[in-house]
Amino acid sequence: MTKTASIYQILYYQFIHPSSSMFILSVTIYKPIKFKAMHSSTLTIQQPLNFLSSTTMEIPIMIKTFLLTSLILFISSTHVVATTLSSTTNLFREYIGAESNNIKFSDVPINPNVEFHFILSFGIDYDTSSSPSPTNGKFNIFWDTNHLNPSQVSSIKNQYSNVKVALSLGGDSVEGGYAYFDPSSVDSWLSNAVSSLTSIIKEYNLDGIDIDYEHFKGDPDTFAECIGKLIQTLKSNGVITFASIAPFDDDQVQSHYLALWKNYGHLIDYVNFQFYAYDKGTSVSQFIDYFNKQSSNYNGGKVLVSFLSDGSSGLSPSDGFFKACQRLKSQQKLHGIFVWSADDSMGNGFRFEKQSQALLAIH
């Protein structure tokens, strides 16, 4: 058999065998002529059993070539889509460092069969005085650098090839007061942010950033331009490979993040939606409804589900969170799980981190 016939035969097996409700093209080749056309060829179009019976027809060589080319492109595109979907279902992310309780990366159990992101909490554009004030995009570190330092980052990433480490920006508070997004102007904030964050990210060998501002003195459009251009610049400069946002269901918060999503959503890889900000006692069905609503708000985004380690609000692991995850997984909607936070999970031996990763690791 010639090289051309072998290629066509492989296409036949790739396309005829997967179970699918789509139509299937079955190609049979006769008398191949070196690498070009075939003397005789039949094309069978088979429909699902509950739709149409199969028909067979002889096709001129030019039409056959067009159909085979289309088939190759279709197979390639569906393969890409399938690969993309499968790569988004085993992502586990955990915030770490906000409570400065001596936690280390190595304290957290890591399943080698998931994609694991640590998210350092937080980098804030406030000064480090006893009464911090905004610095217009000049970020400083507000986590425990004694236990979560550059050497620790390198160590955990060298030990686990599936681990990446990101930096979260903003957060709820700084030294007892709210941490506000408070830029002087888009250009000045952006310039300061790019410079200061590039320095931190390179020093710590980080992979991405997470946006977790929860209080605002700038309007939604200013927030969108500052953050959108920050992500765009850091990515184009090769400083980060991914970015996420962490909104929750609050009118002011959503107005800012949805403005960002509208103009720069194509640059945002994950939506760490804080489902734990909903009321304690949230039911499984309510959780699914919330998920569908936010997936619609952040249309086209990879919306991750979430819980609090202490179970103080939202749908907790002990009250049905994993049941909701199983339901979403069965619908191919479970893009990943994130937890707030490793600091709090030390007290329960990271029980739910283990359970989350075990669920995500199942294909």
Side-chain angles (χ1 to χ4, degrees):
M1 184 175 286
T2 67
K3 183 175 182 180
T4 304
S6 298
I7 292 172
Y8 288 166
Q9 185 180 48
I10 290 170
L11 288 176
Y12 167 85
Y13 280 112
Q14 283 183 332
F15 200 58
I16 194 72
H17 286 174
S19 58
S20 173
S21 61
M22 303 178 192
F23 67 84
I24 300 174
L25 297 179
S26 170
V27 180
T28 306
I29 306 298
Y30 296 98
K31 297 180 183 179
I33 294 179
K34 298 178 182 179
F35 310 110
K36 290 187 179 179
M38 309 296 162
H39 280 315
S40 174
S41 176
T42 60
L43 179 75
T44 301
I45 301 177
Q46 296 181 347
Q47 300 286 351
L49 293 177
N50 61 352
F51 185 59
L52 285 175
S53 59
S54 63
T55 59
T56 303
M57 56 185 171
E58 295 292 326
I59 304 180
I61 288 176
M62 288 184 67
I63 297 177
K64 175 193 68 181
T65 303
F66 169 78
L67 288 172
L68 286 174
T69 302
S70 299
L71 173 59
I72 293 168
L73 292 173
F74 180 80
I75 291 171
S76 299
S77 66
T78 54
H79 175 71
V80 169
V81 170
T83 302
T84 302
L85 286 175
S86 63
S87 69
T88 62
T89 58
N90 70 338
L91 175 61
F92 179 79
R93 316 187 86 200
E94 179 128 45
Y95 288 87
I96 187 170
E99 298 178 16
S100 300
N101 61 352
N102 301 329
I103 191 169
K104 302 184 294 294
F105 297 119
S106 57
D107 292 328
V108 183
I110 297 171
N111 187 319
N113 297 313
V114 302
E115 182 180 358
F116 194 112
H117 291 182
F118 282 110
I119 306 176
L120 288 164
S121 312
F122 289 96
I124 312 175
D125 52 333
Y126 272 64
D127 63 42
T128 56
S129 67
S130 58
S131 181
S133 58
T135 54
N136 190 39
K138 296 178 181 178
F139 283 86
N140 288 299
I141 292 170
F142 284 84
W143 65 79
D144 180 7
T145 55
N146 291 324
H147 297 88
L148 300 169
N149 54 41
S151 64
Q152 293 253 348
V153 171
S154 296
S155 177
I156 200 68
K157 289 174 70 173
N158 288 336
Q159 186 178 355
Y160 294 96
S161 61
N162 59 319
V163 167
K164 295 180 180 178
V165 184
L167 160 65
S168 188
L169 309 181
D172 174 64
S173 61
V174 54
E175 298 299 331
Y178 286 148
Y180 284 97
F181 173 74
D182 188 14
S184 297
S185 68
V186 172
D187 289 344
S188 62
W189 187 94
L190 179 63
S191 177
N192 290 335
V194 168
S195 177
S196 60
L197 288 173
T198 297
S199 177
I200 293 172
I201 290 166
K202 288 186 174 181
E203 178 186 1
Y204 275 75
N205 187 26
L206 304 179
D207 304 286
I209 61 172
D210 173 67
I211 309 301
D212 191 23
Y213 282 105
E214 302 183 4
H215 308 282
F216 308 90
K217 290 188 176 177
D219 62 83
D221 289 340
T222 300
F223 178 73
E225 288 306 300
C226 285
I227 300 301
K229 288 180 178 178
L230 172 65
I231 295 171
Q232 187 174 56
T233 303
L234 293 179
K235 280 191 169 185
S236 63
N237 289 349
V239 178
I240 61 172
T241 58
F242 61 82
S244 59
I245 57 175
F248 56 94
D249 200 356
D250 170 88
D251 288 345
Q252 185 187 39
V253 170
Q254 290 280 62
S255 68
H256 285 74
Y257 282 93
L258 288 173
L260 170 62
W261 185 260
K262 178 181 178 181
N263 293 326
Y264 293 96
H266 61 287
L267 296 173
I268 297 167
D269 300 280
Y270 314 108
V271 180
N272 282 12
F273 200 85
Q274 299 182 43
F275 289 102
Y276 46 76
Y278 288 108
D279 293 339
K280 181 176 175 58
T282 295
S283 68
V284 171
S285 60
Q286 286 175 321
F287 187 92
I288 298 295
D289 288 343
Y290 294 149
F291 176 86
N292 289 332
K293 176 184 177 183
Q294 300 309 330
S295 295
S296 176
N297 283 336
Y298 296 93
N299 187 33
K302 298 181 179 70
V303 178
L304 276 61
V305 296
S306 56
F307 65 86
L308 288 179
S309 298
D310 64 10
S312 60
S313 61
L315 179 61
S316 71
S318 58
D319 291 329
F321 174 80
F322 291 112
K323 183 177 180 180
C325 288
Q326 290 281 13
R327 188 177 299 178
L328 292 172
K329 191 176 180 72
S330 71
Q331 298 170 0
Q332 298 184 343
K333 294 180 179 179
L334 185 63
H335 301 298
I337 298 171
F338 78 90
V339 181
W340 180 273
S341 64
D343 309 53
D344 292 328
S345 292
M346 286 187 74
N348 64 25
F350 302 99
R351 170 187 172 191
F352 299 124
E353 279 81 353
K354 295 173 185 175
Q355 192 171 348
S356 296
Q357 293 176 71
L359 171 64
L360 292 168
I362 299 172
H363 297 292

